[in-house]
């Protein structure tokens, strides 16, 4: 991919010039895609996430939105400290780096930071992971499949070996495609820290808590077995006690 930057007034767009010839704010407009009949669905999550059928392939458009108490102050605005430090530009850069390293992440297409004084709003456009669903939605039918859980552990270990610390590793940010390949999504606020075993443990514990929340209440014993399979895939000898 060839990343270029397009500066226009108070906004910056970074984009893959191999996929997108004419960048502009329209790429991040729900109305633009709706008028063209390109919206194929919406994804569950905190914010606005549209599934699109675009001229450059199936894509996902996500606006950066706050959750929790912060949303009461501002739902979609963040403090501006430079375009390069904005969440969409940083996530685009992270996805570019990880996809370039061969890790299973959505390829970045474009990201936009729109400044308004001391605040900004942000969007990111990514390639869709085709024929894939969240791990959380597969529990009912795949919780007796140790191969799935080992593959999940192997996938997470690949990211940790590259020093990747996911900011919100949960059962919905892990996708499994039709071929059984595991992918990670949502790299907002992710960071790279080599050999940070404490952060890696925290990642795994966060995922474990997430699984507890979505797992059938009467089947906790199976959750324990699946988690063991995940740890085996990750590598028991490197999972700190």
């Amino acid at each position: 991919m060839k990343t270029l930057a397009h500066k226009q007034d108070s906004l910056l767009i970074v984009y893959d010039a191999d996929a997108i010839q004419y960048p502009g704010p329209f790429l991040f407009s729900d109305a633009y895609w709706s008028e063209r009949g390109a919206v194929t669905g919406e994804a569950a999550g905190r914010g606005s996430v549209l599934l699109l059928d675009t001229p450059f392939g199936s894509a996902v458009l996500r606006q950066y939105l706050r959750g929790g108490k912060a949303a009461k102050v501002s739902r979609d605005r963040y403090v501006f400290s430079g375009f390069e430090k904005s969440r969409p530009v940083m996530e685009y850069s992270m996805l570019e780096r990880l996809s370039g390293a061969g890790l299973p992440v959505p390829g970045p297409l474009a990201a936009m930071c729109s400044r308004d004084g001391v605040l900004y709003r942000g969007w990111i456009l990514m390639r869709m992971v085709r024929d894939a669903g969240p791990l959380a939605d597969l529990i009912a039918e795949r919780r007796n499949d140790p191969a799935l859980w080992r593959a999940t552990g192997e996938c997470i270990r690949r990211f940790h070996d590259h020093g990747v610390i996911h900011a919100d590793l949960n059962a919905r940010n892990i996708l499994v495609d039709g071929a059984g390949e595991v992918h990670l999504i949502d790299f907002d606020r992710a960071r790279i820290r080599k050999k940070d075993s404490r952060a890696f443990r925290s990642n795994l514990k966060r995922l474990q808590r997430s699984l507890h929340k979505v797992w059938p209440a009467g089947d906790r014993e199976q959750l324990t077995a699946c988690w063991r399979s995940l740890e085996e895939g990750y590598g028991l000898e490197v999972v700190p006690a």
Side-chain angles (χ1 to χ4, degrees):
M1 64 182 295
K2 180 183 178 182
T3 295
L4 295 180
H6 171 72
K7 183 75 164 56
Q8 177 182 326
D9 299 325
S10 58
L11 63 82
L12 175 74
I13 297 172
V14 291
Y15 65 101
D16 178 5
D18 288 336
I20 297 172
Q21 188 173 5
Y22 302 107
F26 64 90
L27 290 172
F28 308 94
S29 167
D30 295 5
Y32 173 83
W33 296 113
S34 295
E35 289 168 2
R36 284 155 182 74
V39 178
T40 61
E42 296 185 31
R46 172 190 299 171
S48 172
V49 182
L50 294 183
L51 310 181
L52 307 174
D53 182 12
T54 77
F56 32 85
S58 299
V60 177
L61 174 62
R62 188 179 86 237
Q63 182 179 6
Y64 290 79
L65 296 175
R66 294 179 182 275
K69 294 181 180 179
K72 297 179 181 179
V73 178
S74 177
R75 178 68 167 149
D76 64 353
R77 285 172 170 78
Y78 301 83
V79 176
F80 183 81
S81 59
F83 287 111
E84 295 77 11
K85 295 181 179 179
S86 68
R87 291 167 77 155
V89 173
M90 290 182 70
E91 184 170 5
Y92 179 99
S93 298
M94 178 65 73
L95 289 174
E96 180 182 25
R97 177 174 179 173
L98 299 183
S99 60
L103 291 171
V105 300
L109 288 165
M112 181 172 74
C113 173
S114 177
R115 182 183 183 182
D116 182 12
V118 299
L119 302 175
Y120 76 89
R121 301 166 71 203
W123 295 260
I124 189 166
L125 186 66
M126 302 162 286
R127 295 192 182 279
M128 185 186 299
V129 180
R130 300 298 303 271
D131 187 28
L135 180 64
D137 294 346
L138 299 178
I139 288 172
E141 59 184 69
R142 302 284 299 276
R143 62 181 184 269
N144 293 317
D145 181 358
L148 168 65
W149 299 96
R150 281 195 294 270
T152 300
E154 290 169 0
C155 176
I156 296 169
R157 177 62 189 274
R158 287 181 63 192
F159 282 86
H160 286 175
D161 283 348
H162 279 78
V164 182
I165 302 170
H166 196 288
D168 188 18
L169 188 62
N170 65 58
R172 292 209 162 272
N173 285 334
I174 298 174
L175 300 185
V176 183
D177 66 21
E181 297 295 323
V182 181
H183 309 253
L184 299 191
I185 62 171
D186 191 357
F187 285 86
D188 179 25
R189 296 177 294 115
R191 58 198 190 279
I192 304 287
R193 287 184 184 170
K194 296 287 187 178
K195 299 181 180 179
D196 190 340
S197 58
R198 183 174 181 178
F200 301 154
R201 285 199 305 271
S202 179
N203 261 187
L204 293 173
K205 288 178 180 178
R206 189 180 187 92
L207 174 58
Q208 191 172 33
R209 290 195 299 270
S210 167
L211 289 170
H212 272 281
K213 291 178 181 178
V214 299
W215 206 272
D219 195 18
R220 297 299 183 184
E221 186 174 336
Q222 187 60 37
L223 170 56
T224 300
C226 290
W227 188 255
R228 287 199 191 103
S229 294
L230 186 149
E231 288 185 322
E232 288 174 5
Y234 185 92
L236 281 176
E237 71 280 4
V238 297
V239 177

